[in-house]
Amino acid sequence: MNALEHASVAADYRHAEKFAHAEPGLALSDTNLKWFDVAPDDAPVPLAIRAVARRCLRDAARADELGTLGELGFVILHRCGEDFYFLLVCTWRNENELWETVWAKNGDSDVLFRPWPTDGEHRPTFCVWELGAVCHEREAWTRYLLSARDKTAKEAYLHDSYSGVV
């Protein structure tokens, strides 16, 4: 078996751009999160789906089902196809580490978002579109780390957002 038999990209794949849209942030107890919707420009994340995602995260935080998240981070709500959504909660820890909790909602049969199983040794992290938001956040976090890291710097980090092609 040669390496080409396990190609990373199918021959018939056609890549399309998606867009990241900065949305109002979300506070969960002691955690402040920026918010990004990622979706095709002609099929944005519906407001009702975003509302369900926010409610699920608030409820999970109140029930202590998210664990210790950290003080600052961001959420990516990614529309994958017609009605599948990933909800990625990312927080900064230990100065330079990005930690992630993954939830998903699969169509109308899933009324709420639920934790995504993470079995196996080698598993997916971010897709190419989600990495657009992650890239921005890496730069924003670096600016924060290089700052005085005071209240003003935290506010600057929370307002440092991105909307555009990913």
Side-chain angles (χ1 to χ4, degrees), residues 68-144:
T68 303
L69 292 177
E71 185 179 13
L72 297 170
F74 58 96
V75 172
I76 299 171
L77 176 55
H78 182 186
R79 184 175 196 165
C80 308
E82 191 172 323
D83 61 358
F84 183 90
Y85 298 86
F86 272 121
L87 181 61
L88 312 173
V89 180
C90 305
T91 57
W92 296 102
R93 287 193 187 171
N94 303 324
E95 295 85 32
N96 58 9
E97 297 173 0
L98 184 61
W99 288 53
E100 179 189 35
T101 299
V102 179
W103 286 27
K105 181 182 180 321
N106 190 6
D108 293 335
S109 62
D110 280 342
V111 176
L112 303 174
F113 283 82
R114 56 190 162 84
W116 184 256
T118 57
D119 297 337
E121 292 82 28
H122 195 56
R123 55 188 176 267
T125 57
F126 300 103
C127 76
V128 68
W129 298 288
E130 295 157 359
L131 281 170
V134 172
C135 238
H136 170 80
E137 285 304 301
R138 182 235 177 248
E139 296 298 319
W141 187 249
T142 299
R143 285 188 286 278
Y144 174 74

Side-chain angles (χ1 to χ4, degrees), residues 20-22 34-38 74-77 133 136-137 161-162:
H21 294 279
K34 299 182 198 183
W35 193 284
F36 297 93
D37 284 355
V38 172
F74 58 96
V75 172
I76 299 171
L77 176 55
H136 170 80
E137 285 304 301
S161 206
Y162 172 78

